[in-house]
Every structure is written in C-alpha cells, then in structure tokens.
Amino acid sequence: GYNTGVDDITLFEGVIGAMRGCENLYYVSTGGAIEGLDNKTFAKFKEMVEASKFKDRFVFLGWVESGLIPLVYKYGDVGLNVDRMCVETLTGARNRINEMLKFGLPVVTTFGSEISDSAVGFGAAIGVESGNAADLSEKIAELYRDWKVKGGKLKEYRVKAREYIVENCNYG
C-alpha cells in the first residue's frame, strides 16, 4: 500500500526520470490507498502519473491476492521501496523487501530502515538516499541498461537476494 511513509514525489520523479532514457521501462504496482490510514498518498501519486506523458507505462494492478504476489515478483525485474525519512522508516518493518528478496527479486530501496541498510550492505539490494530522485532514476536506468544488454547485474542481485534471506532471515 501507499502509506504516509512512501515518498511519492521521489518515487514518481525517479521512475519518470528513468523512463525518459529507457523506452520500454514500465512501472507495475500492486496495492493502493489504505482505507482508514492513508487515502491521500496514492491519490496524489496517481494524479502525478495521469498528468505525465508516460502515464501509459504505469500499470496499477490494485490489491492482489497474496497467493499471486510471487507471480508478480517472478515477472518483474526490479522491486522498488521508496520511503521518506520519518519515524516509520527508522522503526517500522519493511516486509515487502523481505518478500521481494525471498523470491529473488532485486530491490532498489532508499536507506533508513534496518532491512534496507542490511540488504544493501550484503549486496542483495541497491541503495539510494531518501529524497534523491536523480539517484533513484540513475539506479533504475543502470539496471535497465544492464538487463537490456546482458542481465549480468540483475542475475547477480537475484542470487544475492536469495542468499541474504537464507543467511539473515531464517531460523536455524
């Protein structure tokens, strides 16, 4: 879901910036507004998308049955986690990151949460500074170019993602 911890402006500007140089880059989203918690963040993000020249490259799947999420991860190339720097970022869990990594989906994430810092340090995720849309754009575009040419970095991140989960998130 898109809650108050999501940095909707950096997410939008970062993805749009990457789309400018990556002609076949699409943004696919699950979830949406969170009734009773935050209806504004998602609505604002969708307004920005609808006003952009890239609006046809944004695909909103809405709330997806949890059993189907692994398919979304399987067919995706990179997961995004873009948080604003706030108490929620510093203290809250980011289960979506754990899930993406568990299924071998490379993640580009803003720093701030414990899992973000740890996964980036392990080499299982790519980190960007919170609020830095230019850096987010560049990291997405870099992975896109690598995927288009040879896919080497994405393959490496897929392997490291699974290793991270096995080594850091399993009891044993």
Side-chain angles (χ1 to χ4, degrees), residues 77-94:
D77 294 305
V78 174
L80 298 177
N81 178 71
V82 182
D83 294 322
R84 73 179 76 249
M85 193 52 71
C86 63
V87 172
E88 166 65 22
T89 297
L90 297 172
T91 62
R94 294 292 175 271

Side-chain angles (χ1 to χ4, degrees), residues 32-101:
I34 303 172
E35 294 300 322
L37 177 66
D38 182 356
N39 296 326
K40 295 178 183 176
T41 303
F42 184 63
K44 184 176 156 191
F45 184 74
K46 289 268 304 225
E47 283 178 23
M48 290 186 288
V49 168
E50 287 302 315
S52 80
K53 71 178 192 174
F54 297 107
K55 67 182 178 185
D56 294 335
R57 290 167 51 191
F58 284 80
V59 178
F60 293 96
L61 301 176
W63 292 99
V64 175
E65 184 181 319
S66 60
L68 297 175
I69 293 295
L71 288 173
V72 175
Y73 295 157
K74 178 181 178 180
Y75 291 106
D77 294 305
V78 174
L80 298 177
N81 178 71
V82 182
D83 294 322
R84 73 179 76 249
M85 193 52 71
C86 63
V87 172
E88 166 65 22
T89 297
L90 297 172
T91 62
R94 294 292 175 271
N95 291 327
R96 61 190 163 274
I97 295 175
N98 296 57
E99 288 295 304
M100 288 185 264
L101 295 174

Side-chain angles (χ1 to χ4, degrees), residues 73 76-80 100 105-108 126 140 143-144 154 158:
Y73 295 157
D77 294 305
V78 174
L80 298 177
M100 288 185 264
L105 184 65
V107 177
V108 176
I126 300 96
I140 295 168
L143 289 169
Y144 175 88
L154 283 176
R158 285 186 184 281

Side-chain angles (χ1 to χ4, degrees), residues 106-172:
V107 177
V108 176
T109 182
T110 49
F111 289 108
S113 67
E114 183 178 2
I115 183 72
S116 294
D117 297 344
S118 177
V120 170
F122 189 85
I126 300 96
V128 299
E129 180 185 355
S130 183
N132 190 334
D135 192 27
L136 178 61
S137 287
E138 183 50 40
K139 295 295 191 316
I140 295 168
E142 182 181 307
L143 289 169
Y144 175 88
R145 289 188 297 268
D146 181 72
W147 166 81
K148 195 167 180 171
V149 175
K150 59 187 181 300
K153 286 182 186 175
L154 283 176
K155 288 179 186 175
E156 291 172 24
Y157 279 112
R158 285 186 184 281
V159 169
K160 291 296 279 185
R162 288 186 179 105
E163 287 176 3
Y164 176 82
I165 294 298
V166 168
E167 291 183 26
N168 295 285
C169 301
N170 287 325
Y171 297 103

